[in-house]
Amino acid sequence: MKTTKILYWVFNGLFAFVMFGSAIPDVMSSPDAVKGIHNGLGYPLYFVPFIGVAKILGAIVILVPGFPRLKEWAYAGLSFDLIAATYSLYSIPHPEGPWYFMLIFIALAAAAYIYYHKKLALTAKA
């Protein structure tokens, strides 16, 4: 039980850190975020801060205790963001970098979600 809880907090803490860290430049509409999302991928300018706010809210929700239904939506939304970002990087003609490094973050999201459900199963037994 203790190992599951430790791994839950490690994976969820890392996942929230990654998503929150990637959201800050988006919310601030930094030149790098605009260059990557708008100029590089072709998304509209209003999408940049919108996706940043969504990632911040999702990162907060997965760390706050309770709210199981909201957590499911947060995991889904953050996973959709990662999958869409991966596909977008894969689809552009000349990406600045390889798209497959995104698989690391998708694996982190999967581990966080799996350990969330393992922790739920443990607390349901207790």
Side-chain angles (χ1 to χ4, degrees):
M1 182 167 170
K2 189 174 184 179
T3 304
T4 302
K5 284 188 177 183
I6 290 170
L7 288 173
Y8 163 79
W9 282 110
V10 167
F11 287 131
N12 279 277
L14 283 172
F15 184 48
F17 176 76
V18 165
M19 297 310 289
F20 191 84
S22 70
I24 293 170
D26 297 345
V27 170
M28 297 174 61
S29 291
S30 75
D32 286 337
V34 170
K35 178 183 171 199
I37 296 173
H38 175 67
N39 300 346
L41 298 173
Y43 289 103
L45 283 174
Y46 64 81
F47 185 73
V48 178
F50 171 79
I51 199 69
V53 169
K55 287 194 280 189
I56 287 174
L57 292 174
I60 290 169
V61 167
I62 66 170
L63 291 179
V64 173
F67 308 104
R69 186 172 304 226
L70 204 54
K71 281 187 189 297
E72 291 288 336
W73 280 95
Y75 282 115
L78 294 172
S79 297
F80 293 154
D81 174 69
L82 289 172
I83 292 166
T86 303
Y87 184 73
S88 294
L89 287 172
Y90 174 77
S91 297
I92 56 177
H94 300 289
E96 292 178 4
W99 60 270
Y100 46 83
F101 78 92
M102 292 293 293
L103 296 176
I104 296 167
F105 302 117
I106 292 173
L108 181 60
Y113 185 71
I114 288 167
Y115 275 92
Y116 166 65
H117 277 281
K118 285 186 177 190
K119 183 177 159 280
L120 276 181
L122 285 177
T123 54
K125 290 179 185 177

